Amino acid sequence: MPIHTVDAGDTAWLLTSAALVLLMTPGLAFFYGGLVRRKNVLSVLMQCFAAMCLVSMQWILWGYSLAFGPTRGGWIGSFAWAGLAGVGGQPNPDYAATVPHQAFMAFQMMFAIITPALIIGAFAERMKFFGFCVFLLLWSTLVYDPVTHWVWATGGWLRATGALDFAGGTVVHINAGAAALAAALVLGPRLGYPAKISPPHSLPLGVLGAGLLWFGWFGFNAGSALASGSLATSAFVATHAAAAAAGTAWLILDWFVNAHPTMLGVITGAVAGLVAVTPASGYVTPAGAIWIGIGASVICYLAVAVVKARWGYDDALDAFGVHGVGGLWGALATGLWATKAVNPAGADGLFFGNPGQFWIQAKASFLIAAYSFVVSWLLLKLVDATVGLRASDDEERIGLDLTQHREAGYTGID
């Protein structure tokens, strides 16, 4: 059995990437926090920060073992690595041969944190904090960990089919997006929706959050190369190209449809592009990434502006419209633009002579979406029936900052 040694450069890059991905959750808090009403800004920040704490504990104690531990038939890991038993300073060649196993675990922990935090956008301004905490832990264990095992773990059944997901299009974005739609439907709309819902209370806060997300996303995608080198560089460039293209495309759409380009539109478009390029970032050229970004803006724009209005569900901050729909487009687009010229360990997509890859991507995407939606729906109903899920009408009118936390995001004259 070959001896795998730790590479200092790869380890430094992966630990830096882990820190960048962790920063994305506070970035998400600012992004979401700026888009809600001022009476609920602190509740959003609290939910995101609680996810950082609670999911970290879950991941160390049992989540990592279920997600990446020795497989049970390709469906779920065992408890062999519970409490990080056996997860130490030596590399695990099944996942990353040149960094400590514990570094890989830490990097993946940051993904486990931000994925359920994305769902917050769907139920913002109306979920009880305790109900949120219970749902968070249940969802991480029963949805995130199994799906991660299917797609990324050695022996995972979707990985064995050849499904490509470089940095989390299916595991993170489709998974969270489907759960977000379930949450919006189970909780129902906010009081007064849509006629009496105020616009974002602080777009500057939202822009700050979007900027932190864009910055952290380089760790999300380029870090998923698990080594510092040409593949990380390619993923870095593809990530930036897609975000820039999507932000530009949404700006143009706003200009034509609403006669004015909007700040909210640009940051939403950039995030949609980042979402869409996530599964493809380590497999596509910069030109392919640009097309993925443009497609993300067009498709997510329609999901947010047309589909949501027609269906009437209250996805408060468009978690489904951006992450679910954008992730689905990105996973499918990977089956179009992926090329072994970028990553020999990947596959060619339809545009490079392999139409079968598109169908593999479609199968994985829709199976994960269906699983996440159904199990999330059941978990939400269970939490609602036991500890309660939705804040009362009076609590919602007053705002969750005061009623759930006895604190206010701002002081002084309202």
Side-chain angles (χ1 to χ4, degrees), residues 123-144:
F123 54 71
E125 304 193 299
R126 59 200 191 275
M127 184 181 281
K128 290 181 179 179
F129 182 68
F130 184 63
F132 163 77
C133 292
V134 175
F135 173 72
L136 177 76
L137 290 172
L138 289 173
W139 192 87
S140 295
T141 302
L142 298 175
V143 180
Y144 182 79

Side-chain angles (χ1 to χ4, degrees), residues 20-100:
L20 286 169
V21 180
L22 179 63
L23 184 64
M24 291 174 68
T25 300
L28 181 73
F30 287 135
F31 181 66
Y32 280 171
L35 303 185
V36 298
R37 289 167 287 187
R38 61 186 302 148
K39 64 183 179 180
N40 294 309
V41 58
L42 199 67
S43 73
V44 171
L45 302 182
M46 182 64 171
Q47 288 169 343
C48 288
F49 207 89
M52 294 169 66
C53 298
L54 294 174
V55 177
S56 294
M57 292 295 95
Q58 185 268 2
W59 192 249
I60 291 169
L61 293 175
W62 69 84
Y64 179 68
S65 191
L66 291 177
F68 287 96
T71 190
R72 292 177 174 176
W75 294 95
I76 193 68
S78 70
F79 286 102
W81 296 344
L84 302 186
V87 181
Q90 295 303 310
N92 183 320
D94 287 339
Y95 296 116
T98 60
V99 302

Side-chain angles (χ1 to χ4, degrees), residues 5 17-18 46 109 146 157 159 163 176 185 189 195 237 271 287 293 375 382 390:
T5 58
S17 296
M46 182 64 171
M109 177 163 54
W157 73 276
R159 177 175 174 173
L185 295 174
V237 173
V271 170
V375 179
L382 175 65
R390 179 156 182 162

Side-chain angles (χ1 to χ4, degrees), residues 41-354:
V41 58
L42 199 67
S43 73
V44 171
L45 302 182
M46 182 64 171
Q47 288 169 343
C48 288
F49 207 89
M52 294 169 66
C53 298
L54 294 174
V55 177
S56 294
M57 292 295 95
Q58 185 268 2
W59 192 249
I60 291 169
L61 293 175
W62 69 84
Y64 179 68
S65 191
L66 291 177
F68 287 96
T71 190
R72 292 177 174 176
W75 294 95
I76 193 68
S78 70
F79 286 102
W81 296 344
L84 302 186
V87 181
Q90 295 303 310
N92 183 320
D94 287 339
Y95 296 116
T98 60
V99 302
H101 190 183
Q102 206 165 90
F104 175 80
M105 179 282 303
F107 179 65
Q108 287 295 335
M109 177 163 54
M110 307 316 171
F111 285 70
I113 290 168
I114 195 169
T115 304
L118 295 173
I119 307 170
I120 293 168
F123 54 71
E125 304 193 299
R126 59 200 191 275
M127 184 181 281
K128 290 181 179 179
F129 182 68
F130 184 63
F132 163 77
C133 292
V134 175
F135 173 72
L136 177 76
L137 290 172
L138 289 173
W139 192 87
S140 295
T141 302
L142 298 175
V143 180
Y144 182 79
D145 294 344
V147 169
T148 301
H149 191 83
W150 301 350
V151 177
W152 284 339
T154 299
W157 73 276
L158 279 176
R159 177 175 174 173
T161 68
L164 298 179
D165 186 354
F166 191 75
T170 54
V171 173
V172 176
H173 297 292
I174 292 176
N175 204 8
L181 180 60
L185 295 174
V186 170
L187 268 77
R190 290 164 289 175
L191 295 177
Y193 177 84
K196 295 182 180 179
I197 299 301
S198 302
H201 90 279
S202 176
L203 273 175
L205 197 63
V207 173
L208 171 64
L212 288 172
L213 284 170
W214 195 329
F215 177 68
W217 226 292
F218 292 120
F220 205 84
N221 289 357
S224 292
L226 304 176
S228 58
S230 59
L231 183 57
T233 303
S234 177
F236 189 109
V237 173
T239 299
H240 191 70
T248 302
W250 201 296
L251 182 153
I252 293 170
L253 283 169
D254 255 353
W255 221 325
F256 275 93
V257 176
N258 300 316
H260 295 89
T262 64
M263 189 73 254
L264 178 59
V266 171
I267 60 176
T268 302
V271 170
L274 290 164
V275 168
V277 79
T278 294
S281 54
Y283 304 115
V284 300
T285 65
I290 288 173
W291 283 114
I292 290 172
I294 292 171
S297 267
V298 173
I299 293 168
C300 292
Y301 188 95
L302 292 173
V304 169
V306 178
V307 175
K308 186 172 77 167
R310 185 166 296 174
W311 286 5
Y313 62 90
D314 184 11
D315 177 8
L317 306 178
D318 296 312
F320 170 69
V322 172
H323 294 278
V325 174
L328 177 60
W329 159 245
L332 296 176
T334 303
L336 299 176
W337 279 283
T339 169
K340 287 186 176 181
V342 170
N343 187 347
D348 288 324
L350 186 150
F351 294 154
F352 294 87
N354 181 22

